[in-house]
Amino acid sequence: EAGVTQFPSHSVIEKGQTVTLRCDPISGHDNLYWYRRVMGKEIKFLLHFVKESKQDESGMPNNRFLAERTGGTYSTLKVQPAELEDSGVYFCASSLSETAASGYTFGSGTRLTVV
Amino acid sequence: SQQGEEDPQALSIQEGENATMNCSYKTSINNLQWYRQNSGRGLVHLILIRSNEREKHSGRLRVTLDTSKKSSSLLITASRAADTASYFCATDATSGTYKYIFGTGTRLKVLA
């Protein structure tokens, strides 16, 4: 079984540019989550999809971030325009069950560097 | 302070020694997980311990959970240079939420 796939693995962009991160969950996993770790800080929840619907986007930092999951398969996270403080590692995870009790499978992350 | 706080923040040991990291949390939980992140890479799931379990082993890893103290520990025995990484605990809440709450992690450095 393929795991959670994220790409690009690393992106370096200039402040003010747009970047789109992609996550392909495990096939059949309706639940998809985005987390991020800003340098040296904790890993924070961004949002949760159930199929194509946003179940909870309370962790999205501001309206420069837009997440989509058209068709309930892969998801994209767009940052527009990117700011320096957006630098960090963005993780995607998927799970079968909606409750956290089943555990997540994480992707390898996208390291975003805004210069 | 954060749900799922690890201590120490940084730990440096010699290869072959044991490393112990602790995690404290605030709310009641269903389970607690430990993850490892190698520098610049993704999160790797290490072990999950449920709230009704007290201890769990996986290879060189031993995890304990004390729900009365809302704390957990991760012990890595006979450490290797390849164990150098950041280690995070993650907790969910018994309210059935789907979020895991992570701490800031413990940076472990194993010297060869």
Side-chain angles (χ1 to χ4, degrees), chain A residues 33 35 37 40-45 48 55-56 58 89 91 98-104 106-109 111, chain B residues 2 30-31 33 35 37 39-43 45 48 50 86 88 92 96-104:
Chain A
Y33 316 82
Y35 283 75
R37 185 185 186 204
K41 297 192 175 180
E42 69 271 26
I43 299 169
K44 279 193 168 180
F45 169 84
H48 168 217
Q55 186 79 2
D56 180 350
S58 61
V89 183
F91 296 103
E98 187 166 334
T99 62
S102 65
Y104 292 169
F106 276 90
S108 57
R111 175 174 287 277
Chain B
Q2 297 290 329
N30 288 309
N31 63 65
Q33 298 191 57
Y35 288 85
Q37 184 193 12
S39 180
R41 306 183 76 170
L43 283 169
H45 177 261
L48 180 152
R50 301 193 186 282
S86 290
F88 298 89
D92 68 332
T97 62
Y98 35 78
K99 303 175 193 178
Y100 275 116
I101 308 295
F102 289 82
T104 53

Side-chain angles (χ1 to χ4, degrees), chain B residues 1 15 17 29 33 38 45 59 75 80 85 87 100 103 109:
Chain B
S1 56
E15 205 167 29
E17 294 181 336
I29 61 172
Q33 298 191 57
N38 292 84
H45 177 261
L75 168 68
R80 305 166 182 167
Y87 291 81
Y100 275 116
K109 188 170 185 178

